[in-house]
Amino acid sequence: MAGNPVSSSGKPSSSNTGTSWTSQQNKQFEKALAIYDKDTPDRWHNVASMVTGKSPEDVKKHYEILLEDLNSIEAGKVPFPKYKSSAS
């Protein structure tokens, strides 16, 4: 499906309801995470309030997928992309 982000685990980066995330929603999500850290009361409610069209459950699941991706990258399970070297 074109346009739907895929996590490094091969799963679509989507919420529990199967909706995809736009680049705008991902930017909103990133900004909200920078504001509301793990010690914030009602963190997922607050994060969701900054992400258009997403529920607290949606943003929590999206965060869990992000953590899975980071763990895979740090464990070396995601290969580095092969870039073409540029000629000088």
Side-chain angles (χ1 to χ4, degrees):
M1 211 183 291
N4 286 341
V6 176
S7 72
S8 64
S9 63
K11 299 179 201 168
S13 293
S14 61
S15 70
N16 291 334
T17 59
T19 60
S20 61
W21 285 66
T22 65
S23 59
Q24 179 183 5
Q25 288 170 320
N26 275 312
K27 288 188 185 298
Q28 293 170 342
F29 176 72
E30 291 169 9
K31 287 180 183 177
L33 287 180
I35 294 168
Y36 301 112
D37 68 12
K38 64 180 178 158
D39 298 323
T40 302
D42 298 320
R43 180 185 194 189
W44 303 121
H45 176 76
N46 289 319
V47 171
S49 72
M50 293 182 63
V51 182
T52 306
K54 298 297 179 183
S55 70
E57 293 79 20
D58 292 335
V59 296
K60 184 176 180 185
K61 179 65 177 172
H62 200 60
Y63 182 76
E64 290 167 354
I65 291 169
L66 174 64
L67 288 182
E68 288 175 17
D69 288 349
L70 288 172
N71 289 333
S72 293
I73 291 166
E74 290 176 352
K77 295 179 181 175
V78 178
F80 284 103
K82 295 183 180 180
Y83 297 106
K84 292 181 181 179
S85 60
S86 59
S88 333

